[in-house]
Amino acid sequence: AAKGASLDELRDFCNDSGIPARRGRYWSTSTWNSLLQPHALLKYCGYGVWNVHRKNGTKRPPSEWVIVENAHEALITEEEAKAIAAARQSGRRRRFDVGYATSRNSRYLLSGGLFKCERCGSNMTGLHRDGRRYYVCGSQPYRRGKGCGPGVYVPQALVESEVIEGLSTLLGKCADPKGFTRQVNAELRQMWEESTGYDPRAVKKLEAIDGKIANIRRAIEDGLEDAAWANGRLQQLVLERKELEHAAKRVGEPPQINVETAISYRRQTERVLAQGDPAERKDIIRKWVDGIKLAPERYEIEISYRIPEPVVNALVARARFAAVHNVLTAWLVRRWALPRNGRRPGGGECYPPP
């Protein structure tokens, strides 16, 4: 890997050399991809790494990871890990989205690396057979299933309509002024208050302290005998008041979502999905879809959506990306099971389009 071997080359080397796979009979590209992730390389160097993933499976930025040195025995040196990471990064720059560049005008909206086989990590590729169009694991037409297994033939119209339906639902949530907007604005306000130290209850707290100070002074004037206690209590209240003065100062305004912008963006996106050419529709889908995986054994497809940060910044002034992400977590992953009826071209399951 440090010398620039691709994930496919690493997979094929292990399969051809008879090296036992972690699970199952064959190694897959996705397994090697997970082995060479930065947080995994840190673990191989002897570090303990936690808090890498959120509850919905998406990765947190490295600044949020919890890293402990010398947590266990190292399997590789830090120099080796850095060499692997550098080679992987260099390879990404050379080969970034090559599949998409060559398939941008394809009528298959999910081709080019967006739709993958979970079992072996290969891209799901478009296939025209018997007058029907399908997506099938690339191991079928290119490697006769070697390193994967029997292929599942997924009707193009079925999976693409499911992806677009999920995207439409997500866009609807983004443009919902009563649900999404209210929740995001509440989270944004809370994050803003925490970052600025502003406390909306501070004004009432100040009024209460001022009332207590006035009562003590009135009691002293009326002849309170315990003057030492009164002076000590006054000093405490004055200190509390000074601390609250900062929390009562409102500096600027919290970022809030712009409903009109959200609704306008939704209409624009829906218009492209309905009327755009294949290249325009693919561009929109790739902005909002993080990835699609087919699990052949379970006959299940998982679609992971994302909210592009430029879109969030356009919707929310001084946006806090996490606030939008937290509210939409429930709609960012969509799973659905394929129907199990149909014939078997090429030995794999085939499902007729709806």
Side-chain angles (χ1 to χ4, degrees), residues 33-350:
N33 182 60
S34 64
L35 291 176
L36 300 182
Q37 292 296 310
H39 66 276
L41 293 176
L42 280 172
K43 292 180 180 180
Y44 301 146
C45 292
Y47 291 87
V49 186
W50 294 272
N51 202 46
V52 175
H53 295 90
R54 299 183 179 90
K55 291 183 179 180
N56 66 348
T58 58
K59 288 184 179 178
R60 302 179 188 274
S63 59
E64 297 182 14
W65 297 356
V66 178
I67 302 175
V68 177
E69 297 182 3
N70 301 317
H72 49 257
E73 184 179 355
L75 299 176
I76 61 175
T77 65
E78 291 192 26
E79 288 71 22
E80 289 171 326
K82 290 177 180 178
I84 292 171
R88 294 280 296 136
Q89 188 63 35
S90 176
R92 288 191 186 97
R93 286 195 294 268
R94 290 195 305 270
R95 298 189 295 271
F96 177 73
D97 250 357
V98 170
Y100 179 51
T102 58
S103 69
R104 191 169 185 271
N105 295 306
S106 168
R107 64 182 301 164
Y108 293 92
L109 298 181
L110 312 180
S111 61
L114 189 62
F115 190 8
K116 291 184 178 291
C117 172
E118 183 182 73
R119 184 164 56 195
C120 72
S122 296
N123 292 344
M124 297 289 288
T125 184
L127 180 68
H128 187 202
R129 175 172 290 184
D130 298 335
R132 301 171 186 257
R133 297 184 183 276
Y134 306 94
Y135 288 96
V136 64
C137 173
S139 69
Q140 295 300 311
Y142 302 131
R143 300 195 306 274
R144 298 182 181 179
K146 182 179 179 182
C148 185
V152 175
Y153 289 69
V154 182
Q156 176 192 12
L158 183 66
V159 65
E160 289 182 1
S161 64
E162 193 72 21
V163 170
I164 292 175
E165 181 179 343
L167 175 53
S168 298
T169 300
L170 188 58
L171 287 167
K173 293 297 177 184
C174 290
D176 175 14
K178 294 183 179 179
F180 166 78
T181 303
R182 184 169 59 245
Q183 294 179 59
V184 172
N185 284 345
E187 285 220 18
L188 287 171
R189 177 177 290 276
Q190 181 179 347
M191 295 170 71
W192 174 80
E193 289 174 357
E194 291 174 354
S195 64
T196 60
Y198 174 71
D199 183 356
R201 298 165 298 180
V203 174
K204 288 189 176 180
K205 292 178 181 178
L206 281 172
E207 292 176 354
I209 288 178
D210 287 341
K212 292 179 181 179
I213 292 174
N215 289 337
I216 292 175
R217 287 176 174 167
R218 190 178 303 112
I220 293 174
E221 290 178 358
D222 292 342
L224 180 67
E225 295 181 359
D226 196 347
W229 172 87
N231 288 327
R233 182 58 179 150
L234 279 174
Q235 290 179 2
Q236 290 177 353
L237 291 172
V238 169
L239 289 175
E240 289 181 25
R241 195 183 192 290
K242 286 182 178 179
E243 293 177 356
L244 282 172
E245 284 178 348
H246 173 73
K249 291 181 180 178
R250 188 184 181 98
V251 181
E253 294 293 330
Q256 298 285 279
I257 194 164
N258 186 316
V259 181
E260 290 75 17
T261 302
I263 294 175
S264 175
Y265 192 89
R266 175 188 178 185
R267 290 172 179 166
Q268 176 187 351
T269 300
E270 290 177 339
R271 183 167 56 251
V272 171
L273 289 174
Q275 304 173 5
D277 59 37
E280 292 172 330
R281 298 177 73 198
K282 290 188 78 165
D283 280 340
I284 284 291
I285 289 175
R286 292 177 73 90
K287 286 177 181 177
W288 287 83
V289 178
D290 194 42
I292 308 167
K293 295 186 295 185
L294 166 70
E297 296 87 354
R298 302 192 304 274
Y299 298 92
E300 183 179 270
I301 290 180
E302 178 182 286
I303 308 164
S304 298
Y305 296 93
R306 63 185 172 195
I307 309 298
E309 194 157 357
V311 173
V312 177
N313 289 335
L315 300 182
V316 187
R318 304 185 307 280
R320 295 293 186 90
F321 190 71
V324 178
H325 185 279
N326 291 342
V327 172
L328 291 174
T329 295
W331 292 276
L332 291 178
V333 177
R334 184 182 182 93
R335 297 182 181 89
W336 116 94
L338 288 165
R340 298 197 183 198
N341 61 324
R343 52 199 176 80
R344 291 175 171 268
E349 291 289 340
C350 174

